[in-house]
Amino acid sequence: MFRPFHMKNASRMKLISKFQLFLLCVTLSFGSCSDHVQSSIPDFPVSLQLNLTSTYPTFRNSYNKSLTFIKGVSVTDRVGFGGILVYSGFDGTYYAFDMACPYEIKSTVRVYPNDIGQAVCEKCGSVFDIGYGIGNPSAGPAKEALKRYKISLSGDILYILH
């Protein structure tokens, strides 16, 4: 059967367009995962707002200081799986981690900050470097970094989200 030349091109263009759409979808799905680091810690809601002027004035512009939240301050707060550790790093940047140890993977087994930019698991003794916001293990049985949460600062309010 004879098809006009333009019909062949139209079919070919539809096929190419579908293939390009498929490639775009695959690229976007892989690209969106590149910023997300897999964690053994289950995903739980995280939503916390800290007023650095009225409620936490000593935390603002300080280095090597931390705040921990096992329960929310208000009824709308969500503090992840094991609680939230908010840390003002050596570089003056704020960081947030889930307090659950990635080796123990229990909401009741937590890491707590020390005075030298580390968080230490109360059960297994794993030590995590948090001073520059990475959360990588530096000692103990843990091989996985602490689960990190996104932080944004708008005026005097520090937002922690997941």
Side-chain angles (χ1 to χ4, degrees), residues 107-147:
S107 64
T108 56
V109 179
R110 298 180 177 97
V111 299
Y112 288 94
N114 62 22
D115 293 337
I116 57 173
Q118 300 170 325
V120 182
C121 176
E122 62 186 0
K123 185 171 183 185
C124 71
S126 291
V127 178
F128 301 89
D129 293 324
I130 60 173
Y132 289 103
I134 305 300
N136 285 339
S138 60
K143 303 291 182 223
E144 182 181 317
L146 294 174
K147 185 172 190 168

Side-chain angles (χ1 to χ4, degrees), residues 69-91:
F69 299 90
I70 294 172
K71 294 182 180 181
V73 178
S74 73
V75 294
T76 58
D77 291 340
R78 301 291 176 257
V79 294
F81 182 63
I84 295 178
L85 163 62
V86 183
Y87 190 77
S88 177
F90 298 139
D91 57 359

